[in-house]
Amino acid sequence: MEEIFTDEYFMKRALQEAEVAFEKGEVPVGAVIVINNRIIARAHNLTELLNDVTAHAEMQAITAAADFLGGKYLKKCTLFVTLEPCQMCGGALYWSQIDRIVYGAKDESRGCEAMGTKLHPKTTVTGGVLAEECSQLVKRFFIEKRNLN
């Protein structure tokens, strides 16, 4: 039986990456980049481990996908990310010319939409895929972090 690749399928893969970030003490955001139903990049936040504010899951995934493809443009690719990209990541996604962005939970205060970040005119955005699962992981992380301090 052939597996059906849906937005939910790939978002679950991004959630697996977010879980890895959670276990490392990173803000639990995960991302995968897909072309032709094939995952070509997997990433999660590494800002604490690398001591680098730019080491967001999306940035790590963009770099890995560009390396895989042998070029800087991510045309015909889709980014699946558990949290709406921030302004920095939105800018990088603009320059990558990625075809599509699919995110889970909305970031009401720092997301692209709230910040007024312009994406590439040919990029389409779908939000809210497995939003509850994505949101709960981030909430659980910050609740546990507050309880430790």
Side-chain angles (χ1 to χ4, degrees):
M1 182 173 185
E2 190 173 316
E3 193 158 13
I4 298 171
F5 297 106
T6 62
D7 287 355
E8 290 80 13
Y9 172 87
F10 289 115
M11 188 60 72
K12 286 178 183 174
R13 307 289 91 61
L15 267 165
Q16 290 172 341
E17 288 295 319
E19 289 281 356
V20 172
F22 185 95
E23 294 303 320
K24 291 180 178 179
E26 298 278 356
V27 174
V29 177
V32 297
I33 295 181
V34 174
I35 190 168
N36 298 325
N37 285 326
R38 180 178 176 201
I39 295 174
I40 60 168
R42 297 174 183 271
H44 53 270
N45 274 0
L46 291 171
T47 59
E48 299 299 324
L49 181 69
L50 298 178
N51 198 28
D52 179 356
V53 297
T54 69
H56 289 194
E58 301 94 324
M59 302 295 275
Q60 302 299 311
I62 290 166
T63 300
D67 185 54
F68 177 88
L69 294 171
K72 61 186 177 182
Y73 298 119
L74 303 181
K75 295 176 180 180
K76 298 183 181 168
C77 292
T78 300
L79 167 73
F80 292 86
V81 61
T82 57
L83 185 65
E84 179 186 5
C86 71
Q87 189 168 24
M88 173 186 69
C89 295
L93 290 161
Y94 176 99
W95 291 111
S96 77
Q97 298 182 23
I98 198 158
D99 273 13
R100 186 169 179 239
I101 299 167
V102 179
Y103 68 84
K106 186 162 194 59
D107 187 339
E108 299 289 346
S109 59
R110 294 186 184 104
C112 282
E113 189 176 330
M115 299 295 287
T117 306
K118 292 194 184 305
L119 297 170
H120 195 275
K122 292 182 180 174
T123 299
T124 60
V125 179
T126 303
V129 176
L130 300 182
E132 188 60 30
E133 294 93 324
C134 295
S135 178
Q136 286 304 316
L137 184 59
V138 173
K139 287 176 184 171
R140 190 173 97 217
F141 175 81
F142 285 109
I143 287 168
E144 288 184 20
K145 194 150 186 83
R146 273 193 295 273
N147 290 338
L148 291 176
N149 293 332

